[in-house]
Amino acid sequence: MQASCGRSVPAPGPRPLPSQRGGCLSPRTAWSGDLGGSYSARDPEGRGIRRPRACGQDGGRGAMRSPKLPGLVLSLLLLLLPPPGPVGGAARFDPTWESLDARQLPAWFDQAKFGIFIHWGVFSVPSFGSEWFWWYWQKEKLPSYVDFMKNNYPPDFTYADFGPLFTAKFFDANQWADILQASGAKYVVLTSKHHEGFTLWGSERSWNWNAVDEGPKRDIVKELAVAVRTRTDLRFGLYYSLFEWFHPLFLEDESSSFQKQQYPLSKMLPELYELVNQYQPEVLWSDGDGGAPDTYWNSTVFLAWLYNESPVRDTVVTNDRWGAGSICKHGGYYTCSDRYNPGHLLPHKWENCMTIDQFSWGYRRNGGISDYLTIEELVKQLVETVSCGGNLLMNIGPTKDGTISAIFEERLRQMGTWLKVNGEAIYDTHAWRSQNDTVTPDVWYTSKPKNKLVYAMFLKWPTSGQLFLGQPKATLGATEVELLGHGQPLQWTPLEQNGIMVELPQLTVHQMPCIILRRRP
């Protein structure tokens, strides 16, 4: 039996590869044959103070032009796995972690693979250093932040005075939605409220410190939700910080070692119920436990309502940041830390939330070109993450005026261009029995067991024109190898022990299915 792989993918325009033309390719192969029973493609199940930096982060090297890298897609006959079943609408969940953790993650999330994080708030006004500006200036009194305020604002200027300057004057939700759609992402998560406490909707519990009463005088959450749902195929999600740095009720509860619960009962929980009922997010991204346990936040009671009674009970996904000690242990999918990229397969569905700007989640006026990850580095993050069973949540930070800066927009559109060719190897895939190759570095695998397909995404074009893959076990006459975006079968030969050698096509720069333009040093 021969696996079919005849879908054609439009070939994008030219771009140079890494060493030679560089970049990331994703080949497409269809092969079937004797697998000897050794294949078992697995389908894994599938912020808290944000400061940790995680493994595998490359340094940024500036803006690139249009990347359109191909990808080797190998179609193998694999042991078929049963597809994940539907989320049980009739299931009831108790307010205990044992019960809540047993909920099956809605299938759409694992299929989506790629989302966009948007950090926007009053911190976008000073746009200096980090979205933690208020904390670093007033609490930690870091010299660079203190000097910035001394040199640029009057002596009596307070953080609240930044509120009216958060104008969102040029915010166009439809334009944002179009850019998000062009990125190839399948979901978006907007910061409805960060640790500063300013809400991007007219929260009745945040009087005079919200986007309807102050600054934009617009319901930002509503506008973006409507635009995303009417103009794109993305799922709409919201980030919400449980705690607020300087909220007096939280500080009073903290001084009682969280024996008091004034803040969650009067502020946090009412806002969460309001967000879910009013805007119906399909991702609820919790963050900022402030050192308090989940029992202080009443997290399990809220989550039981979310899963049993809320208007999004059948489709909503949640993360693992619901109280001190819950991260990477309880909740829907795991985040474990910011920029978490373990580099190996995990038994539980996880997400790598990371930033294009390596030093801040919010917009920074003082960011340099080398602070931003290149498209090659971003594609590598995506490929590594998905091969190990995770989703990539890639962050941008808009300006106080509501514009997405050119470098962020460029990266989003570049990723979308790459995904137009290579998305088949990303969306709705499963982790394969091997996540990366043992013979050739920077080769990562995904699979579609039901279609008998394996995808080998190689990030460097071999100068010899021959790609050696140590993991596939192929059968002559029953296995086909193709390059995504190229469409023609490629010649291959088996290696002596394991693996295959693929003869890559000799193409001109204009014939390359995916091209990346490299910035000169």
Side-chain angles (χ1 to χ4, degrees), residues 2 6 14 25-26 37 61 155 158 166 175 194 203 248 304 318 335 399-400 406 434 444 451 506 510 520:
Q2 187 162 339
L25 303 174
S26 60
R61 283 190 281 282
T158 67
F166 179 54
Q175 182 186 49
H194 199 256
S203 169
T318 62
T335 63
T399 70
K400 66 176 183 178
S434 296
W444 296 83
N451 299 326
Q506 296 182 359
H510 298 291
R520 293 182 180 179

Side-chain angles (χ1 to χ4, degrees), residues 85-119:
V87 176
R92 298 289 299 183
F93 300 95
D94 298 326
T96 65
W97 284 123
E98 181 181 9
S99 177
L100 298 169
D101 289 345
R103 177 181 183 256
Q104 186 178 1
L105 199 69
W108 75 262
F109 184 74
D110 182 56
Q111 294 163 358
K113 304 301 183 187
F114 178 47
I116 302 299
F117 217 167
I118 303 177
H119 273 65

Side-chain angles (χ1 to χ4, degrees), residues 453-490:
L453 295 171
V454 168
Y455 301 86
M457 294 170 282
F458 56 102
L459 304 181
K460 294 179 181 178
W461 188 275
T463 56
S464 66
Q466 297 178 331
L467 180 65
F468 292 85
L469 300 175
Q471 291 305 307
K473 297 178 181 178
T475 302
L476 289 170
T479 297
E480 291 184 357
V481 179
E482 293 182 6
L483 184 66
L484 279 182
H486 179 251
Q488 300 299 317
L490 303 181

Side-chain angles (χ1 to χ4, degrees), residues 155-175:
D156 58 346
F157 197 94
T158 67
Y159 193 80
D161 293 326
F162 283 124
L165 304 179
F166 179 54
T167 64
K169 181 179 180 179
F170 302 120
F171 171 59
D172 183 338
N174 290 337
Q175 182 186 49

